[in-house]
Amino acid sequence: MAVNRVKQKSDKPLTHNSGRNDFALLLRQPLLLLTIISIFVLLFIFVILPIFNVFKMGATNKDGAFSLQPFVDILSNPSYRQTFYNSMKLGVIVACVATALGYLFAFSITRTEMPGKRFFRTIATIPIISPPFILSLSIIFLFGRQGLITRGLLGIKNFDVYGLRSLVVVQAISFFPVAFLTLSGILESIDDSVEDAARSMGASRWHTFRTVTLPLSVPGIISAMLLVFIQSLEDFSNPAVIAGDFSTLSVEAYRIITGMYDLHAGSMMAIILLLPTVAAFLLQKYFLRKKSFVTVSGKPTQKRRKIHEKHIVVPLFLGCLLVSAIILLFYGTVLVGAFVKTWGINYTFTLSHFKFVYSMGWDAMKNSIILATWAAPIGGLLGMAIAFLTVRKRFLGRRVMEVASMLTFAIPGTVLGIGYVGTFNQKPLLLTGTAFILVAAFTFRNMPVAIESGSTTLLQIDKSIEEASTISGAGSGHTFRRITLPLLREAFFSGLVYAFVRAMTAVSAIIFLVSPRWPLATSKIFSLFEASKYSDAAAYVMIMIVVILVAIGIINGLVKFFLRPRAKAPGREEVERAILAQGGECP
Amino acid sequence: MSTQVQSTPTKKANDLRRFSGKSSGVELRDITKIFPTPEGTGETIAVNHINLSVADGELVTLLGPSGCGKTTTLRMISGFEYPSAGQILIGGRDVANVPPNKRGISMVFQSYALFPHLSIWENIAYGLKVQRLPKDEVIARTDAVIKLMQLEGMERRFPNQLSGGQQQRVALARAVVIEPSVLLFDEPLSNLDAKLREHMRDELRSIQKRLGITSVYVTHDQSEAMAISDRVVIMKDGNLMQVGTPQEIYEYPNCKFVANFIGKANFISGRFQGLEGESAIVKFGDGMRYLIPNPGAMEGLRFGNPCCLAFRPESVKLTAEGEGIPGVVKRATYFGSKIEYEVDIGSTVLTVEIYNPQLSRRYQEGDSVKAVLDLDCVRVLPEEKLTIE
Ligand SMILES: Nc1ncnc2c1ncn2[C@@H]1O[C@H](COP(=O)(O)OP(=O)(O)OP(=O)(O)O)[C@@H](O)[C@H]1O
Ligand SMILES: [Mg+2]
């Protein structure tokens, strides 16, 4: 009786020509087609081409001929080999530490009845939106030559704060939010009933954790570690100021290019940096490929009692509290540092640092704000559009778009910067020195986060909601504007905030691109740092934090204003008037 | 010139409207849909060479077990899927190159798919606003549909503030307000509880009749299909098994699958021995020959072919003595309005339903009985059948 439903490709197969039909239908939606083509062109120019050029520059000599000499040079140079080894070591250590912290927070927040969850959540998001250099600053304030702890409390003279240890601390705090977000997503999606089943069979909490929760969160742990590893390798600002003799790839590439004017060796360095990050990125995608998306079904699920036993919750709570205290200490230190006369020597209150910053002029800050204001909506909208297209539409090259647009997450800013320098310094794409190139760098570098959150949200939204819009007569553009985007408003908001903040705080991507015409805030901080004007840098960073917080508030207001649901309907009189105007009669 | 155009804005908008407001028929010509299997190892034939034409204003139901291709068929009509082969005509026009939003059709989704961020009023008015109709017309037409669906007073609510039945009505309102030429339903009632489902079913049918919109309705609930359809299409594994009015389908199923799928049926195997006038001659294993006066179409049956007699449980009576097929009661189940007996007649087990059991004699398990067929209600079906051409 069983009819063979799976027909093997036999002698006379009926070809499914839906691919061709997709294209035919696309042709009839010119706007959609145009959007797709434009996005491809943009991705090609601003992602593929620069990366290609990095490879090209790395594999050619000064005369433009193919040469692997830079590669051989780097391989045979023991100090460069050490640099590579350093970066890997740092990346692995930070990945472990940050993921452990992230797991502590994620587990305590999602799986237990711990008090103060909102507080801990907030703590875990601060490092994401904070300006660069801030943690480096405070580690210098705390443990440096004039450090409050090393010199002030312990009386150690000439303590060497620079090096691997400080980097691990600073990067672990900077990047543990990434691990936290990844892991809390995973832990939330683990069905409670699986744990309940284990519990009901008499397993202890610890046994349940070891045999059920932990194994189920392994993909999340691995993927969190890979993401942190990528971030650690990409990081430029922290190693640039507190690494000391501990050389890392991103900084070394910068030194080679700006110090030795060797774009080719610098590019090769960039390639050596790029390969591990891309590999880690692909691995991460592999580990999360089976991540099932929990749909918002709206079915009321039974509120289940989470872990509440004192002997478990109290240690977790104390652990989170300790980490939070350290983070607050770091940020508080910088705040104080901005207001004292001379750190380590004279702690009297002063506004002189702010006055100094003020005297430097506001051009750099203004530029940063302007560029971020451009980059955020462009990146946010483009991100949502790409998420919409790749999740909901079928077209040739969809996968290519997906990968290319997410790829920039795995491309260190240094590498992208080198690629942009190499790509846009000649006609027809002569953009070096313009604001445009900076906006492009921000947009494409920060878009993956918007795409990711957009895609995740979209996968949770019943597809038929958009189909209902289509069948009501709306084209893809209308559906996107009126239905998809409002439904994505949370993701859109976080995409906007992320894009804005990252544009304000970018260092590595713009270090090669800043020009005298467009000085930026972060490059100002960097130069203050290099001149050891730590308190002035702290003042500048504080101002930046204020700007960012205000901007987030404004973005929040705008997104709410434009995309918040409103219960709109015409009033009774309006309806009656309309009916009469249409020649009907009112009851 | 310009004043002339301005004087009839509504009319102009009407002319430009893709939704004609006029109902039109749908025709599927030799439609096939093949999906590559997710692993990419082979292909699934979701819909296999089906032909179907739905007349203007008619409500046709696609009915079949899960996975038989109903949704796929509907989605091809809507334009969300493209047939691998074949043609779809709406109002006589081939719509192969018409995207879903320009087909002039409308659809009610199983999950309702209401826009969660829009008020009920905006949900319903959505399609009209998309067409950029004049504001007054949008308001007036939306209001008319709100009244039709008895949704007054809910305009300002959001979908999650409505009950399931109300949400269902909003979904229907949103679909009909644009006056589509064809209305598609994908199991629109399956999320409702039994009572409400019956109520909404009748309401839906009366509105469809009132508006006269050509409708294709997908369900796997046979009583729903019987109750609302002008015609029912029975599908199985991507094939059309039978198309007909509910009465034809129930009384004259053309194959064992249909007979079994719609209601219950008993089958007794035999061999077809030709016709005698209108009646079919069927021979059984024991050599007995029966004359079936009203055998049905008997498509594809030739002399000597294996066949079977098919009859409904209510077409059988039981007696203790006299003529009939002898058997033993295996089970008796009391339902109130009827008693259902299972009677073992040796070659097979018959299901017999006796209605109004107060009036007839009751048998116990183990009793010997005779089954008497109402020969007028017996059909002759081929033993095997896969598709109709
Ligand atoms: N996008 C798809 N890719 C691959 N196979 C598909 C796809 N959509 C449907 N199918 C297959 O096509 C067949 C028909 O599916 P369809 O959804 O039309 O069934 P249905 O009759 O609506 O069933 P149900 O009553 O369960 O809704 C099934 O075997 C299904 O697995
Ligand atoms: Mg279905």
Side-chain angles (χ1 to χ4, degrees):
Chain A
M1 201 55 192
V3 177
N4 188 12
R5 299 181 54 70
V6 179
K7 183 183 160 212
Q8 298 304 326
K9 287 190 174 139
S10 59
D11 42 338
K12 215 178 142 217
L14 253 162
T15 52
H16 43 89
N17 56 359
S18 59
R20 217 176 327 134
N21 270 317
D22 289 350
F23 189 66
L25 273 160
L26 218 52
L27 281 180
R28 258 146 244 276
Q29 293 170 276
L31 192 71
L32 183 62
L33 187 66
L34 199 70
T35 311
I36 291 172
I37 293 175
S38 318
I39 288 176
F40 269 121
V41 170
L42 288 175
L43 288 175
F44 179 76
I45 295 178
F46 292 104
V47 180
I48 309 291
L49 201 57
I51 298 307
F52 174 76
N53 279 330
V54 172
F55 276 89
K56 207 173 90 184
M57 287 186 292
T60 52
N61 60 21
K62 291 191 176 62
D63 309 323
F66 176 77
S67 155
L68 285 176
Q69 197 55 41
F71 187 59
V72 176
D73 286 349
I74 286 175
L75 277 190
S76 57
N77 184 331
S79 84
Y80 286 157
R81 280 214 301 274
Q82 183 64 37
T83 302
F84 177 79
Y85 174 69
N86 282 350
S87 278
M88 293 298 132
K89 185 170 155 194
L90 175 66
V92 171
I93 298 176
V94 171
C96 294
V97 177
T99 305
L101 294 183
Y103 200 90
L104 170 69
F105 269 62
F107 185 84
S108 310
I109 289 177
T110 58
R111 299 261 124 185
T112 72
E113 305 267 359
M114 183 178 74
K117 288 184 184 180
R118 272 178 65 102
F119 168 73
F120 290 123
R121 249 181 220 286
T122 313
I123 289 290
T125 47
I126 289 177
I128 301 182
I129 59 164
S130 74
F133 303 113
I134 191 164
L135 292 168
S136 300
L137 261 181
S138 70
I139 208 161
I140 287 173
F141 279 146
L142 290 172
F143 300 98
R145 193 112 38 99
Q146 306 291 345
L148 184 64
I149 293 178
T150 43
R151 181 73 183 264
L153 296 181
L154 304 174
I156 309 168
K157 283 184 188 160
N158 290 335
F159 180 80
D160 187 13
V161 69
Y162 303 98
L164 178 63
R165 260 175 319 176
S166 297
L167 267 180
V168 168
V169 173
V170 167
Q171 288 197 341
I173 295 179
S174 300
F175 305 136
F176 99 91
V178 177
F180 165 71
L181 291 177
T182 311
L183 287 165
S184 54
I186 296 281
L187 285 172
E188 253 158 21
S189 71
I190 294 175
D191 193 353
D192 295 333
S193 52
V194 185
E195 282 184 345
D196 282 352
R199 289 275 291 158
S200 69
M201 287 184 290
S204 70
R205 287 282 191 199
W206 169 242
H207 192 81
T208 311
F209 174 76
R210 218 161 30 91
T211 56
V212 180
T213 320
L214 193 59
L216 283 175
S217 46
V218 161
I221 292 175
I222 295 176
S223 123
M225 289 178 77
L226 290 166
L227 291 177
V228 175
F229 177 78
I230 294 173
Q231 302 251 312
S232 165
L233 252 60
E234 288 184 351
D235 187 19
F236 173 84
S237 53
N238 293 314
V241 294
I242 57 159
D245 296 335
F246 187 84
S247 60
T248 61
L249 288 168
S250 57
V251 177
E252 208 56 37
Y254 170 72
R255 296 255 155 84
I256 292 175
I257 291 177
T258 54
M260 303 175 1
Y261 304 106
D262 188 346
L263 195 56
H264 299 283
S267 298
M268 190 39 88
M269 210 65 178
I271 296 170
I272 292 174
L273 171 60
L274 180 66
L275 295 180
T277 56
V278 170
F281 178 71
L282 296 178
L283 265 180
Q284 192 264 342
K285 285 270 158 280
Y286 171 80
F287 273 107
L288 274 192
R289 76 198 182 284
K290 282 200 196 119
K291 181 175 167 192
S292 65
F293 292 95
V294 215
T295 43
V296 190
S297 63
K299 211 158 72 176
T301 44
Q302 242 171 349
K303 194 102 167 99
R304 172 177 159 285
R305 187 116 194 254
K306 299 189 171 157
I307 297 175
H308 53 88
E309 288 89 339
K310 276 222 162 50
H311 67 280
I312 303 172
V313 174
V314 170
L316 289 176
F317 177 72
L318 290 178
C320 292
L321 203 60
L322 180 67
V323 175
S324 307
I326 293 173
I327 292 174
L328 290 179
L329 172 70
F330 272 69
Y331 282 90
T333 302
V334 178
L335 180 65
V336 175
F339 287 102
V340 299
K341 266 221 164 78
T342 316
W343 187 270
I345 294 165
N346 183 354
Y347 286 108
T348 46
F349 177 85
T350 177
L351 288 174
S352 62
H353 305 299
F354 287 91
K355 285 196 190 113
F356 177 77
V357 169
Y358 185 77
S359 70
M360 283 165 55
W362 292 110
D363 278 359
M365 186 64 83
K366 243 193 290 175
N367 287 340
S368 281
I369 296 173
I370 292 172
L371 295 184
T373 308
W374 276 104
I378 296 175
L381 278 175
L382 203 56
M384 294 306 119
I386 291 177
F388 175 62
L389 291 174
T390 53
V391 172
R392 292 286 202 248
K393 299 284 160 186
R394 291 172 294 188
F395 52 90
L396 197 72
R398 189 179 63 86
R399 296 285 306 175
V400 176
M401 180 183 287
E402 204 179 332
V403 173
S405 60
M406 293 299 290
L407 197 62
T408 49
F409 187 83
I411 300 174
T414 329
V415 181
L416 198 74
I418 294 173
Y420 274 33
V421 168
T423 308
F424 303 116
N425 60 356
Q426 66 217 355
K427 287 187 175 170
L429 294 170
L430 183 56
L431 298 169
T432 326
T434 62
F436 187 83
I437 194 171
L438 291 167
V439 171
F442 294 148
T443 304
F444 287 93
R445 185 148 156 67
N446 303 328
M447 212 170 47
V449 171
I451 298 175
E452 183 78 37
S453 59
S455 310
T456 311
T457 315
L458 264 185
L459 286 169
Q460 295 176 347
I461 297 172
D462 190 353
K463 190 173 155 199
S464 50
I465 291 178
E466 286 157 67
E467 287 178 351
S469 163
T470 304
I471 209 78
S472 300
S476 290
H478 194 104
T479 301
F480 180 72
R481 261 195 339 273
R482 295 273 174 250
I483 305 297
T484 315
L485 201 53
L487 290 177
L488 286 179
R489 66 184 175 279
E490 301 278 325
F492 183 51
F493 170 69
S494 56
L496 278 180
V497 166
Y498 186 83
F500 185 88
V501 173
R502 290 289 297 245
M504 286 290 292
T505 61
V507 179
S508 57
I510 55 143
I511 211 88
F512 298 110
L513 303 176
V514 278
S515 64
R517 251 198 297 162
W518 288 93
L520 292 181
T522 46
S523 47
K524 277 279 181 300
I525 301 176
F526 189 34
S527 50
L528 286 173
F529 221 110
E530 296 208 302
S532 299
K533 296 187 167 179
Y534 298 129
S535 283
D536 296 331
Y540 212 118
V541 165
M542 281 302 140
I543 295 170
M544 203 159 188
I545 288 181
V546 172
V547 169
I548 287 173
L549 290 180
V550 170
I552 291 176
I554 292 175
I555 294 172
N556 190 13
L558 289 177
V559 170
K560 275 230 178 86
F561 179 77
F562 285 110
L563 298 176
R564 198 195 44 190
R566 282 194 202 85
K568 272 200 295 195
R572 201 59 250 165
E573 298 106 65
E574 202 177 343
V575 172
E576 276 163 16
R577 210 171 32 72
I579 294 175
L580 289 175
Q582 288 295 303
E585 50 199 69
C586 288
Chain B
M1 180 81 183
S2 64
T3 45
Q4 214 177 350
V5 173
Q6 273 176 353
S7 67
T8 55
T10 318
K11 192 145 190 300
K12 180 155 186 270
N14 268 324
D15 293 340
L16 291 176
R17 224 186 302 159
R18 295 182 293 266
F19 299 95
S20 60
K22 237 186 71 195
S23 182
S24 53
V26 177
E27 199 178 341
L28 307 185
R29 283 192 192 155
D30 209 21
I31 289 289
T32 299
K33 178 69 187 179
I34 299 172
F35 286 113
T37 50
E39 313 85 52
T41 48
E43 295 170 335
T44 309
I45 306 181
V47 171
N48 190 8
H49 293 287
I50 64 171
N51 286 290
L52 176 66
S53 94
V54 182
D56 200 347
E58 190 183 29
L59 191 154
V60 167
T61 301
L62 305 183
L63 179 64
S66 189
C68 70
K70 309 178 294 283
T71 300
T72 307
T73 308
L74 205 67
R75 289 175 64 80
M76 284 192 286
I77 300 175
S78 69
F80 291 126
E81 299 282 355
Y82 319 111
S84 306
Q87 262 185 320
I88 296 175
L89 288 80
I90 296 177
R93 196 161 69 102
D94 188 339
V95 293
N97 289 323
V98 185
N101 55 325
K102 299 198 172 137
R103 291 196 173 186
I105 58 187
S106 207
M107 186 157 171
V108 179
F109 293 83
Q110 179 169 8
S111 55
Y112 311 147
L114 300 179
F115 307 129
H117 61 296
L118 298 183
S119 68
I120 298 310
W121 188 86
E122 285 191 304
N123 261 281
I124 298 173
Y126 186 82
L128 299 176
K129 284 189 167 178
V130 166
Q131 294 174 45
R132 297 178 194 283
L133 298 182
K135 195 165 170 221
D136 279 348
E137 187 179 349
V138 172
I139 293 176
R141 280 171 66 179
T142 306
D143 193 65
V145 174
I146 285 176
K147 293 215 176 79
L148 178 70
M149 297 295 166
Q150 298 162 18
L151 286 165
E152 295 109 318
M154 316 214 168
E155 292 93 335
R156 267 168 231 279
R157 291 202 207 171
F158 285 105
N160 61 5
Q161 297 167 325
L162 298 186
S163 73
Q166 289 164 341
Q167 289 178 15
Q168 175 57 57
R169 287 208 290 267
V170 175
L172 185 57
R174 182 180 66 185
V176 300
V177 74
I178 54 178
E179 297 174 6
S181 51
V182 180
L183 191 49
L184 307 176
F185 297 89
D186 190 359
E187 308 202 20
L189 305 180
S190 61
N191 281 339
L192 302 178
D193 65 51
K195 260 265 160 45
L196 193 54
R197 191 151 67 210
E198 272 180 33
H199 174 72
M200 284 305 297
R201 177 186 85 190
D202 299 336
E203 207 165 304
L204 202 146
R205 173 58 162 163
S206 80
I207 286 165
Q208 186 269 342
K209 265 192 168 155
R210 185 128 52 102
L211 302 177
I213 305 176
T214 312
S215 302
V216 181
Y217 189 104
V218 162
T219 178
H220 58 235
D221 180 335
Q222 50 143 319
S223 60
E224 197 174 300
M226 303 287 273
I228 65 168
S229 314
D230 291 314
R231 280 191 302 153
V232 179
V233 175
I234 309 285
M235 292 181 74
K236 178 186 165 218
D237 296 332
N239 296 303
L240 285 198
M241 303 308 283
Q242 189 172 1
V243 183
T245 63
Q247 191 181 343
E248 280 164 5
I249 299 269
Y250 188 79
E251 292 177 4
Y252 291 91
N254 65 0
C255 64
K256 284 171 82 167
F257 172 79
V258 173
N260 239 339
F261 194 75
I262 297 283
K264 289 181 186 159
N266 293 303
F267 303 106
I268 301 176
S269 300
R271 219 160 253 287
F272 180 60
Q273 299 278 312
L275 288 171
E276 193 180 295
E278 296 281 279
S279 311
I281 309 159
V282 179
K283 190 175 140 196
F284 293 94
D286 54 8
M288 286 279 280
R289 286 156 67 103
Y290 274 84
L291 213 56
I292 311 298
N294 200 357
M298 300 189 294
E299 275 169 64
L301 265 189
R302 306 225 146 51
F303 183 86
N305 282 359
C307 70
C308 65
L309 301 188
F311 48 94
R312 300 290 176 189
E314 65 270 23
S315 309
V316 189
K317 298 201 172 43
L318 297 181
T319 59
E321 53 270 325
E323 288 282 300
I325 308 165
V328 180
V329 174
K330 303 291 280 185
R331 190 160 66 207
T333 315
Y334 181 73
F335 285 101
S337 65
K338 66 179 183 189
I339 292 187
E340 193 177 284
Y341 293 104
E342 279 179 18
V343 180
D344 189 346
I345 57 164
S347 57
T348 181
V349 176
L350 299 184
T351 305
V352 179
E353 288 175 357
I354 307 295
Y355 281 84
N356 204 353
Q358 298 177 48
L359 295 181
S360 55
R361 178 165 168 198
R362 304 273 275 275
Y363 301 94
Q364 307 299 321
E365 286 164 27
D367 286 356
S368 288
V369 291
K370 299 255 166 56
V372 184
L373 304 191
D374 202 335
L375 281 184
D376 273 333
C377 304
V378 175
R379 302 286 108 77
V380 178
L381 300 180
E383 196 55 69
E384 278 295 336
K385 174 175 180 304
L386 279 179
T387 54
I388 51 172
E389 302 314 317

